[in-house]
Amino acid sequence: MGKRYYCDYCEKTMVAAPAIVRTHNNGIVHQKLVQEHYQQFKDPETILLEESSKRPCSRFANGTCQFGNICRYSHYNREQLDALRRYVESKNFNKSILTQPSFEELYNKLQNEKSLQTEQNDGNTVAVDKNGITHVFPWTYNPIFDSYGDNLPPSIKRLKIEDFENASITEWG
């Protein structure tokens, strides 16, 4: 017995001669089944684009169109096309709302928030001495600790310029 060819779309087995396979693949029944198979994977936008460019099928309206999905004419009526159009529009509208911001937008937003925080924390991180020199601390103070007054340990006390005026550092480390 010779080699056999199995068509997944038609679920038929035939002799694997090139002429027989070619004839089968060019047949209307095979093309109709292939089209029906791939129709289930099409997105609504593609279906709307294809079907809205076709004229309505008069045979399908009578219930006698034998071509199915390979018909040159549309098998969708006006109400179905309108419903599909509304669905595509709502889907695209929701997609436009949920778009992710670009990296540049995120970076600019972060920089704006950072500059606002710096303006708000200037009282916590900046000190001006008697000579008018501005000193910027590389840390920020938690304003909650101000309510404790001078009862805090030196490591978390708010530093003032006066604390450094008469400091004599003789030893490091």
Side-chain angles (χ1 to χ4, degrees):
M1 187 165 208
K3 291 192 176 196
R4 307 289 289 170
Y5 173 76
Y6 179 74
C7 179
D8 289 327
Y9 303 107
C10 304
E11 297 179 357
K12 289 185 179 179
T13 304
M14 61 198 84
V15 177
I20 293 173
V21 173
R22 190 176 321 113
T23 303
H24 171 75
N25 288 343
N26 290 336
I28 289 179
V29 174
H30 175 78
Q31 290 180 2
K32 183 178 172 184
L33 292 171
V34 169
Q35 187 70 18
E36 285 176 3
H37 172 73
Y38 285 108
Q39 186 74 18
Q40 65 185 342
F41 300 112
K42 287 185 180 177
D43 57 338
E45 292 88 359
T46 307
I47 294 172
L48 180 64
L49 184 66
E50 290 174 356
E51 295 297 325
S52 61
S53 63
K54 296 179 182 178
R55 290 191 332 217
C57 180
S58 59
R59 290 184 180 150
F60 182 75
N62 297 334
T64 60
C65 184
Q66 60 187 356
F67 297 106
N69 288 336
I70 62 171
C71 186
R72 287 190 279 177
Y73 303 105
S74 177
H75 287 182
Y76 285 83
N77 60 27
R78 182 60 50 201
E79 292 82 24
Q80 290 172 326
L81 284 175
D82 289 339
L84 190 60
R85 187 172 290 112
R86 284 192 301 272
Y87 174 74
V88 168
E89 287 172 358
S90 69
K91 185 177 170 187
N92 290 339
F93 178 74
N94 291 340
K95 195 183 294 182
S96 67
I97 291 174
L98 300 174
T99 55
Q100 295 291 327
S102 68
F103 176 75
E104 187 175 340
E105 291 171 352
L106 289 173
Y107 177 76
N108 291 336
K109 182 179 175 185
L110 179 66
Q111 291 302 324
N112 289 338
E113 288 174 1
K114 206 172 183 183
S115 67
L116 290 174
Q117 277 183 343
T118 304
E119 291 170 4
Q120 292 170 353
N121 291 331
D122 276 350
N124 295 337
T125 61
V126 176
V128 180
D129 64 6
K130 299 187 241 184
N131 299 329
I133 299 174
T134 304
H135 303 278
V136 179
F137 302 129
W139 60 84
T140 59
Y141 288 105
N142 191 343
I144 294 173
F145 293 137
D146 290 340
S147 63
Y148 291 102
D150 290 334
N151 297 332
L152 293 172
S155 61
I156 57 174
K157 263 187 188 177
R158 182 182 295 270
L159 297 176
K160 299 177 186 126
I161 291 296
E162 296 82 34
D163 296 338
F164 297 103
E165 285 178 351
N166 297 325
S168 61
I169 302 172
T170 57
E171 203 176 302
W172 290 95

Short mmCIF file of all heavy atoms in Angstrom, two decimals, residues 15-55:
data_model
loop_
_atom_site.label_atom_id
_atom_site.label_comp_id
_atom_site.label_asym_id
_atom_site.label_seq_id
_atom_site.Cartn_x
_atom_site.Cartn_y
_atom_site.Cartn_z
N VAL A 15 -4.78 9.09 -1.27
CA VAL A 15 -3.47 8.70 -1.79
C VAL A 15 -2.62 9.97 -1.86
O VAL A 15 -3.08 11.03 -2.25
CB VAL A 15 -3.61 8.05 -3.18
CG1 VAL A 15 -2.25 7.71 -3.77
CG2 VAL A 15 -4.47 6.80 -3.09
N ALA A 16 -1.35 9.84 -1.50
CA ALA A 16 -0.46 11.00 -1.40
C ALA A 16 0.14 11.40 -2.74
O ALA A 16 1.24 11.92 -2.78
CB ALA A 16 0.63 10.73 -0.38
N ALA A 17 -0.57 11.22 -3.83
CA ALA A 17 -0.09 11.67 -5.14
C ALA A 17 -0.27 13.18 -5.22
O ALA A 17 -1.32 13.71 -4.82
CB ALA A 17 -0.87 10.97 -6.24
N PRO A 18 0.74 13.90 -5.72
CA PRO A 18 0.64 15.36 -5.78
C PRO A 18 -0.60 15.86 -6.52
O PRO A 18 -1.22 16.84 -6.10
CB PRO A 18 1.92 15.79 -6.50
CG PRO A 18 2.88 14.68 -6.26
CD PRO A 18 2.06 13.43 -6.18
N ALA A 19 -0.98 15.24 -7.58
CA ALA A 19 -2.15 15.70 -8.35
C ALA A 19 -3.44 15.54 -7.53
O ALA A 19 -4.30 16.42 -7.55
CB ALA A 19 -2.25 14.90 -9.65
N ILE A 20 -3.55 14.46 -6.79
CA ILE A 20 -4.76 14.22 -5.98
C ILE A 20 -4.83 15.22 -4.82
O ILE A 20 -5.89 15.80 -4.54
CB ILE A 20 -4.79 12.76 -5.48
CG1 ILE A 20 -4.96 11.82 -6.67
CG2 ILE A 20 -5.90 12.56 -4.46
CD1 ILE A 20 -4.85 10.36 -6.32
N VAL A 21 -3.70 15.44 -4.16
CA VAL A 21 -3.66 16.39 -3.04
C VAL A 21 -3.97 17.79 -3.54
O VAL A 21 -4.75 18.54 -2.90
CB VAL A 21 -2.30 16.32 -2.31
CG1 VAL A 21 -2.19 17.43 -1.27
CG2 VAL A 21 -2.10 14.97 -1.69
N ARG A 22 -3.41 18.18 -4.69
CA ARG A 22 -3.64 19.51 -5.26
C ARG A 22 -5.12 19.68 -5.61
O ARG A 22 -5.72 20.72 -5.32
CB ARG A 22 -2.77 19.71 -6.49
CG ARG A 22 -2.76 21.13 -6.98
CD ARG A 22 -1.82 21.39 -8.18
NE ARG A 22 -0.58 20.67 -8.10
CZ ARG A 22 -0.21 19.66 -8.93
NH1 ARG A 22 -1.02 19.27 -9.89
NH2 ARG A 22 0.96 19.07 -8.79
N THR A 23 -5.71 18.69 -6.21
CA THR A 23 -7.13 18.74 -6.56
C THR A 23 -7.99 18.87 -5.30
O THR A 23 -8.94 19.66 -5.26
CB THR A 23 -7.54 17.48 -7.35
OG1 THR A 23 -6.72 17.38 -8.50
CG2 THR A 23 -9.00 17.53 -7.76
N HIS A 24 -7.63 18.12 -4.27
CA HIS A 24 -8.38 18.20 -3.01
C HIS A 24 -8.27 19.60 -2.40
O HIS A 24 -9.27 20.18 -1.97
CB HIS A 24 -7.86 17.16 -2.02
CG HIS A 24 -8.42 17.34 -0.65
ND1 HIS A 24 -9.71 16.98 -0.32
CD2 HIS A 24 -7.88 17.86 0.48
CE1 HIS A 24 -9.93 17.28 0.95
NE2 HIS A 24 -8.83 17.81 1.46
N ASN A 25 -7.04 20.14 -2.37
CA ASN A 25 -6.82 21.46 -1.76
C ASN A 25 -7.51 22.58 -2.53
O ASN A 25 -7.84 23.62 -1.95
CB ASN A 25 -5.34 21.75 -1.62
CG ASN A 25 -4.68 20.92 -0.55
OD1 ASN A 25 -5.35 20.34 0.31
ND2 ASN A 25 -3.37 20.83 -0.59
N ASN A 26 -7.73 22.40 -3.84
CA ASN A 26 -8.41 23.42 -4.64
C ASN A 26 -9.92 23.26 -4.60
O ASN A 26 -10.64 24.12 -5.11
CB ASN A 26 -7.93 23.37 -6.10
CG ASN A 26 -6.49 23.85 -6.22
OD1 ASN A 26 -6.01 24.60 -5.38
ND2 ASN A 26 -5.81 23.40 -7.25
N GLY A 27 -10.41 22.22 -3.98
CA GLY A 27 -11.85 21.97 -3.93
C GLY A 27 -12.57 22.94 -3.01
O GLY A 27 -12.03 23.46 -2.03
N ILE A 28 -13.85 23.16 -3.32
CA ILE A 28 -14.66 24.12 -2.56
C ILE A 28 -14.88 23.65 -1.12
O ILE A 28 -14.81 24.46 -0.19
CB ILE A 28 -16.01 24.35 -3.27
CG1 ILE A 28 -15.77 25.14 -4.54
CG2 ILE A 28 -16.98 25.08 -2.37
CD1 ILE A 28 -17.02 25.41 -5.34
N VAL A 29 -15.11 22.38 -0.92
CA VAL A 29 -15.37 21.86 0.43
C VAL A 29 -14.14 22.07 1.31
O VAL A 29 -14.24 22.54 2.45
CB VAL A 29 -15.76 20.37 0.38
CG1 VAL A 29 -15.88 19.81 1.78
CG2 VAL A 29 -17.04 20.19 -0.39
N HIS A 30 -12.94 21.78 0.78
CA HIS A 30 -11.71 21.96 1.55
C HIS A 30 -11.50 23.45 1.87
O HIS A 30 -11.19 23.81 3.02
CB HIS A 30 -10.50 21.41 0.77
CG HIS A 30 -9.19 21.68 1.44
ND1 HIS A 30 -8.75 20.94 2.51
CD2 HIS A 30 -8.24 22.62 1.20
CE1 HIS A 30 -7.58 21.40 2.90
NE2 HIS A 30 -7.24 22.42 2.12
N GLN A 31 -11.65 24.31 0.90
CA GLN A 31 -11.46 25.75 1.12
C GLN A 31 -12.45 26.30 2.13
O GLN A 31 -12.11 27.13 2.97
CB GLN A 31 -11.57 26.51 -0.20
CG GLN A 31 -10.41 26.26 -1.13
CD GLN A 31 -10.54 27.03 -2.43
OE1 GLN A 31 -11.49 27.78 -2.64
NE2 GLN A 31 -9.57 26.83 -3.31
N LYS A 32 -13.68 25.80 2.07
CA LYS A 32 -14.69 26.24 3.02
C LYS A 32 -14.32 25.83 4.45
O LYS A 32 -14.41 26.63 5.39
CB LYS A 32 -16.04 25.62 2.63
CG LYS A 32 -17.20 26.03 3.48
CD LYS A 32 -18.47 25.38 2.97
CE LYS A 32 -19.63 25.61 3.89
NZ LYS A 32 -20.84 24.91 3.44
N LEU A 33 -13.85 24.60 4.62
CA LEU A 33 -13.47 24.13 5.96
C LEU A 33 -12.22 24.84 6.48
O LEU A 33 -12.12 25.14 7.67
CB LEU A 33 -13.27 22.62 5.94
CG LEU A 33 -14.55 21.80 5.73
CD1 LEU A 33 -14.23 20.34 5.51
CD2 LEU A 33 -15.49 21.98 6.90
N VAL A 34 -11.26 25.13 5.61
CA VAL A 34 -10.06 25.88 6.02
C VAL A 34 -10.47 27.28 6.47
O VAL A 34 -10.02 27.78 7.51
CB VAL A 34 -9.03 25.94 4.88
CG1 VAL A 34 -7.92 26.92 5.19
CG2 VAL A 34 -8.44 24.56 4.63
N GLN A 35 -11.34 27.93 5.68
CA GLN A 35 -11.80 29.28 6.03
C GLN A 35 -12.54 29.29 7.36
O GLN A 35 -12.34 30.18 8.19
CB GLN A 35 -12.68 29.84 4.91
CG GLN A 35 -13.07 31.27 5.09
CD GLN A 35 -11.90 32.22 4.92
OE1 GLN A 35 -10.87 31.89 4.36
NE2 GLN A 35 -12.06 33.42 5.44
N GLU A 36 -13.39 28.31 7.60
CA GLU A 36 -14.12 28.22 8.86
C GLU A 36 -13.17 28.01 10.03
O GLU A 36 -13.38 28.55 11.12
CB GLU A 36 -15.15 27.09 8.80
CG GLU A 36 -16.36 27.41 7.98
CD GLU A 36 -17.32 26.22 7.86
OE1 GLU A 36 -17.06 25.16 8.48
OE2 GLU A 36 -18.31 26.37 7.13
N HIS A 37 -12.12 27.22 9.81
CA HIS A 37 -11.14 26.99 10.87
C HIS A 37 -10.43 28.29 11.26
O HIS A 37 -10.31 28.61 12.45
CB HIS A 37 -10.11 25.95 10.42
CG HIS A 37 -8.97 25.79 11.38
ND1 HIS A 37 -9.12 25.15 12.59
CD2 HIS A 37 -7.68 26.21 11.33
CE1 HIS A 37 -7.97 25.16 13.23
NE2 HIS A 37 -7.08 25.80 12.48
N TYR A 38 -9.96 29.04 10.27
CA TYR A 38 -9.22 30.27 10.58
C TYR A 38 -10.13 31.43 10.97
O TYR A 38 -9.66 32.39 11.58
CB TYR A 38 -8.32 30.66 9.40
CG TYR A 38 -7.11 29.76 9.32
CD1 TYR A 38 -6.98 28.82 8.32
CD2 TYR A 38 -6.11 29.84 10.27
CE1 TYR A 38 -5.89 27.99 8.26
CE2 TYR A 38 -5.01 29.01 10.23
CZ TYR A 38 -4.90 28.09 9.21
OH TYR A 38 -3.82 27.27 9.17
N GLN A 39 -11.40 31.36 10.66
CA GLN A 39 -12.34 32.41 11.04
C GLN A 39 -12.43 32.55 12.56
O GLN A 39 -12.59 33.64 13.08
CB GLN A 39 -13.73 32.10 10.45
CG GLN A 39 -14.74 33.19 10.67
CD GLN A 39 -14.52 34.39 9.78
OE1 GLN A 39 -13.83 34.32 8.77
NE2 GLN A 39 -15.09 35.50 10.17
N GLN A 40 -12.29 31.45 13.28
CA GLN A 40 -12.41 31.49 14.74
C GLN A 40 -11.25 32.21 15.40
O GLN A 40 -11.34 32.61 16.55
CB GLN A 40 -12.55 30.08 15.29
CG GLN A 40 -11.33 29.21 15.09
CD GLN A 40 -11.55 27.78 15.57
OE1 GLN A 40 -12.46 27.52 16.32
NE2 GLN A 40 -10.71 26.88 15.11
N PHE A 41 -10.14 32.41 14.68
CA PHE A 41 -8.98 33.08 15.26
C PHE A 41 -8.87 34.54 14.86
O PHE A 41 -7.96 35.23 15.30
CB PHE A 41 -7.69 32.35 14.86
CG PHE A 41 -7.65 30.93 15.32
CD1 PHE A 41 -7.70 29.89 14.41
CD2 PHE A 41 -7.58 30.63 16.67
CE1 PHE A 41 -7.67 28.57 14.84
CE2 PHE A 41 -7.55 29.32 17.11
CZ PHE A 41 -7.60 28.29 16.19
N LYS A 42 -9.77 35.02 14.01
CA LYS A 42 -9.71 36.41 13.56
C LYS A 42 -10.21 37.33 14.66
O LYS A 42 -11.15 37.01 15.38
CB LYS A 42 -10.56 36.61 12.31
CG LYS A 42 -9.94 36.01 11.08
CD LYS A 42 -10.77 36.34 9.86
CE LYS A 42 -10.16 35.73 8.62
NZ LYS A 42 -10.99 35.99 7.45
N ASP A 43 -9.60 38.50 14.76
CA ASP A 43 -10.06 39.48 15.73
C ASP A 43 -11.24 40.27 15.14
O ASP A 43 -11.41 40.32 13.92
CB ASP A 43 -8.93 40.40 16.17
CG ASP A 43 -8.28 41.13 15.01
OD1 ASP A 43 -8.40 40.65 13.87
OD2 ASP A 43 -7.65 42.18 15.24
N PRO A 44 -12.04 40.89 15.98
CA PRO A 44 -13.24 41.60 15.49
C PRO A 44 -12.93 42.73 14.51
O PRO A 44 -13.72 42.98 13.60
CB PRO A 44 -13.88 42.15 16.76
CG PRO A 44 -13.34 41.33 17.86
CD PRO A 44 -11.99 40.85 17.42
N GLU A 45 -11.78 43.38 14.67
CA GLU A 45 -11.42 44.47 13.76
C GLU A 45 -11.25 43.96 12.34
O GLU A 45 -11.71 44.57 11.38
CB GLU A 45 -10.12 45.17 14.22
CG GLU A 45 -10.24 45.95 15.50
CD GLU A 45 -9.98 45.12 16.74
OE1 GLU A 45 -9.73 43.90 16.62
OE2 GLU A 45 -10.06 45.68 17.84
N THR A 46 -10.58 42.81 12.20
CA THR A 46 -10.36 42.23 10.88
C THR A 46 -11.68 41.78 10.25
O THR A 46 -11.92 42.03 9.06
CB THR A 46 -9.39 41.03 10.98
OG1 THR A 46 -8.22 41.44 11.66
CG2 THR A 46 -9.04 40.49 9.62
N ILE A 47 -12.52 41.15 11.04
CA ILE A 47 -13.82 40.69 10.52
C ILE A 47 -14.64 41.89 10.06
O ILE A 47 -15.23 41.87 8.97
CB ILE A 47 -14.57 39.89 11.59
CG1 ILE A 47 -13.83 38.60 11.90
CG2 ILE A 47 -15.99 39.59 11.14
CD1 ILE A 47 -14.39 37.83 13.08
N LEU A 48 -14.66 42.95 10.85
CA LEU A 48 -15.43 44.15 10.48
C LEU A 48 -14.88 44.76 9.19
O LEU A 48 -15.65 45.14 8.30
CB LEU A 48 -15.38 45.17 11.61
CG LEU A 48 -16.13 46.47 11.36
CD1 LEU A 48 -17.62 46.20 11.22
CD2 LEU A 48 -15.86 47.45 12.48
N LEU A 49 -13.56 44.84 9.06
CA LEU A 49 -12.95 45.40 7.87
C LEU A 49 -13.30 44.58 6.63
O LEU A 49 -13.65 45.14 5.59
CB LEU A 49 -11.43 45.47 8.06
CG LEU A 49 -10.63 46.12 6.95
CD1 LEU A 49 -10.97 47.59 6.87
CD2 LEU A 49 -9.15 45.93 7.19
N GLU A 50 -13.20 43.26 6.74
CA GLU A 50 -13.50 42.39 5.59
C GLU A 50 -14.98 42.43 5.23
O GLU A 50 -15.34 42.55 4.05
CB GLU A 50 -13.10 40.95 5.90
CG GLU A 50 -11.61 40.72 5.97
CD GLU A 50 -11.24 39.32 6.41
OE1 GLU A 50 -12.15 38.52 6.75
OE2 GLU A 50 -10.04 39.00 6.43
N GLU A 51 -15.83 42.31 6.22
CA GLU A 51 -17.27 42.18 5.94
C GLU A 51 -17.92 43.50 5.54
O GLU A 51 -18.89 43.50 4.79
CB GLU A 51 -18.00 41.59 7.15
CG GLU A 51 -17.59 40.17 7.47
CD GLU A 51 -17.94 39.18 6.37
OE1 GLU A 51 -18.98 39.34 5.70
OE2 GLU A 51 -17.14 38.25 6.18
N SER A 52 -17.41 44.62 6.02
CA SER A 52 -18.03 45.90 5.66
C SER A 52 -17.70 46.30 4.23
O SER A 52 -18.40 47.12 3.65
CB SER A 52 -17.61 46.99 6.64
OG SER A 52 -16.22 47.17 6.60
N SER A 53 -16.66 45.72 3.65
CA SER A 53 -16.31 46.06 2.26
C SER A 53 -17.07 45.18 1.26
O SER A 53 -17.01 45.43 0.07
CB SER A 53 -14.81 45.92 2.05
OG SER A 53 -14.40 44.58 2.24
N LYS A 54 -17.78 44.16 1.72
CA LYS A 54 -18.53 43.26 0.84
C LYS A 54 -19.99 43.69 0.73
O LYS A 54 -20.54 44.31 1.64
CB LYS A 54 -18.49 41.82 1.40
CG LYS A 54 -17.13 41.20 1.47
CD LYS A 54 -17.25 39.80 2.07
CE LYS A 54 -15.94 39.11 2.23
NZ LYS A 54 -16.12 37.77 2.85
N ARG A 55 -20.61 43.31 -0.40
CA ARG A 55 -22.05 43.51 -0.55
C ARG A 55 -22.77 42.36 0.13
O ARG A 55 -22.23 41.26 0.26
CB ARG A 55 -22.41 43.53 -2.03
CG ARG A 55 -21.90 44.78 -2.74
CD ARG A 55 -22.48 44.93 -4.12
NE ARG A 55 -22.85 43.67 -4.76
CZ ARG A 55 -22.72 43.39 -6.03
NH1 ARG A 55 -22.21 44.27 -6.83
NH2 ARG A 55 -23.10 42.23 -6.53
#
